[in-house]
Amino acid sequence: MARLGRLAIQVTALAVLASNLGGCSFLGINFGMAQMSEKECMMRAMYFESNRSSSEGMLAVGTVVMNRLNDPRYPKNVCGVVGQKNQFAQGVLTKPMTDSGAVLAAQVADQVLRGARHPGVQNAQHFHTAGMRFPYNNMYYVLEAGGNEFYEKRDPRTGRLL
């Protein structure tokens, strides 16, 4: 019984430690995202995913985040969407933003959170590095911006969004 008590204390201590490491996870549970504002999560997605290339590239990434936010298959807040496992750049919520691109990301994040959208993104909820190609027939490309290609997933037979 004492052994079980020590294990519970150790697990609790690890969970508390992990909760102080903003954006990290422990046993599959994300800690720290609640401490970040929606704006900071949006900034980080745009900063790291667009390679700080341009306001157009950042706006396109921000539009994808918002498109996902409006889809019941994804989390219901910006930080949840950005922090979703294997969806955005590794460390997007934890790596430092170190150059002037952070200033531009903050400006564009404000615009996106106030309703601005990149019209070329349309309903796209996905993107990958420009120049890459995959053998899937359900990827309908709508835009290239900020070093990324944005696409909608569509049924190849009907053309309807998936």
Side-chain angles (χ1 to χ4, degrees), residues 44-134:
R44 291 176 155 281
M46 294 185 308
Y47 178 90
F48 289 108
E49 293 290 359
S50 72
N51 299 315
R52 299 161 295 288
S53 60
S54 67
S55 59
E56 180 189 23
M58 289 184 182
L59 181 60
V61 170
T63 301
V64 165
V65 171
M66 298 309 287
N67 285 350
R68 287 183 177 196
L69 188 63
N70 293 322
D71 185 318
R73 297 175 289 185
Y74 292 94
K76 293 289 142 226
N77 60 65
V78 171
C79 293
V81 168
V82 173
Q84 196 172 23
K85 189 174 182 171
N86 299 323
Q87 296 297 305
F88 289 90
Q90 187 174 0
V92 69
L93 293 175
T94 57
K95 288 195 261 182
M97 294 185 287
T98 59
D99 63 19
S100 62
V103 173
L104 180 59
Q107 293 167 349
V108 179
D110 283 335
Q111 294 169 8
V112 170
L113 293 172
R114 285 194 308 260
R117 300 294 182 270
H118 192 298
V121 171
Q122 301 172 44
N123 296 307
Q125 295 179 348
H126 311 279
F127 60 91
H128 61 71
T129 302
M132 297 179 73
R133 282 291 180 258
F134 300 92

Side-chain angles (χ1 to χ4, degrees), residues 30 40 49 77 115 144 151:
N30 286 327
E40 184 173 4
E49 293 290 359
N77 60 65
E144 183 176 332
Y151 63 95

Side-chain angles (χ1 to χ4, degrees), residues 146-160:
N148 292 308
E149 293 192 53
F150 296 82
Y151 63 95
E152 299 172 346
K153 285 188 176 179
R154 293 187 182 182
D155 183 317
R157 292 169 290 146
T158 65
R160 286 198 276 168

Side-chain angles (χ1 to χ4, degrees), residues 2-15:
R3 192 174 184 195
L4 186 58
R6 276 191 303 244
L7 180 60
I9 290 170
Q10 289 172 335
V11 168
T12 302
L14 285 172

